[in-house]
Amino acid sequence: MEKKDLDWGNLDFGYRKTDYRFVSNYSDGKWDDGELTTDDKVVISECAGVLQYSQSCFEGMKAYTTEDGRIVTFRPDLNGARMEDSCRRLVMPVYPKEKFVEAVLKTIKANEAWVPPYGSGATLYIRPYMFGSTPVIGVKPADGYQFRILTTPVGPYFKGGMKGINIRVSEFDRAAPHGTGHIKAGLNYAMSLYPIVKAHEDGFNENMYLDSATRTYVEETGGANFIFVTKDGTIVTPKSNTILPSVTRRSLIYVAEHYLGLKTEERAVRFDEVKDFAEAGVCGTAAVVSPVASVTGLDGTKYEFPYGKEEMGPTIKKLYDTLTGIQMGRIDAPEGWIYEIK
Ligand SMILES: *Cc1c(COP(=O)(O)O)cnc(C)c1O
């Protein structure tokens, strides 16, 4: 297999069409077998459920080349399980997680030539997604659905590498209590576009959303969970049932406990505690962990973390190095975390 001729070290986080995508259709109450296709166009009714009432959800993961040249992906079973949860909440048919994993591996295999080489800093981003594809005009779930997996080679999510990002508390809410904050619904992102565009205009990289009921507790950014480190080295992550359960965050907590022997706490985190933390980061598949340099509150007060301005704090760096070491095959992985594409 010959790799594509791309400038791997200088890719941005953007879409580049690759050779194959996976497509499966749901009709008459069942999924077809699904297949790989070279056709990147989706043809659906003008009245499709996704177009009228935003019935869609998605996942995000990565494939990459390990130090010893294997192509692998990270914990796709958790993405499959999470997509099942998203589907149930949106009254969409579940695409069974075992079949999900199989389809992901098959799609990576077909696009092997697009998986960036080890050490380039780039990865093959994998985007499984599902949407209501048949006409709906009265408000109800669609009858037909399409599940697809596209792949695209990407560079780092945040340019500027390990430099900390500047975040502000958003005056908008991300997720309502008992709403859809805990699932990966496309609609959660549609309504976060206005706040993120505003934040960028005002010179911030990301928004910090507080719990919308009381505006007291830290939730997450538009697309990444928070991770904090106390002055005595304990890892703290916000607990809330309106946060999306990040695979990266759950993996970092495991790494903190089992590889680094750190104490971890998953608990409600008041916004007024943020200024007392020694280190802060945001975590998700796209960036793994990015250090946070500052958080600006609703009243305009800016809290700067002791670490994060020029580089990662020591504890977040250890977490980052260990998790990426596991992903890249430099450190032994826990059983079942790494799926090799053969
Ligand atoms: C996808 C997502 C994350 C990150 O989850 P990972 O599984 O780590 O990629 C965090 N927050 C939101 C809102 C998300 O949609």
Side-chain angles (χ1 to χ4, degrees), residues 58 60 79 82 174 184 189 220-225 244-249 283-286:
F58 67 97
N79 296 86
R82 192 168 67 187
R174 191 192 82 88
K184 229 170 162 69
Y189 279 74
E220 59 174 322
T221 71
N225 285 181
L244 197 278
S246 157
V247 173
T248 314
R249 189 246 305 160
C283 59
T285 296

Side-chain angles (χ1 to χ4, degrees), residues 305-326:
F305 292 96
Y307 300 101
K309 209 165 189 166
E310 294 303 325
E311 54 183 6
M312 284 187 177
T315 306
I316 286 188
K317 173 116 180 37
K318 255 187 259 168
L319 283 171
Y320 175 86
D321 287 345
T322 311
L323 184 59
T324 51
I326 289 169

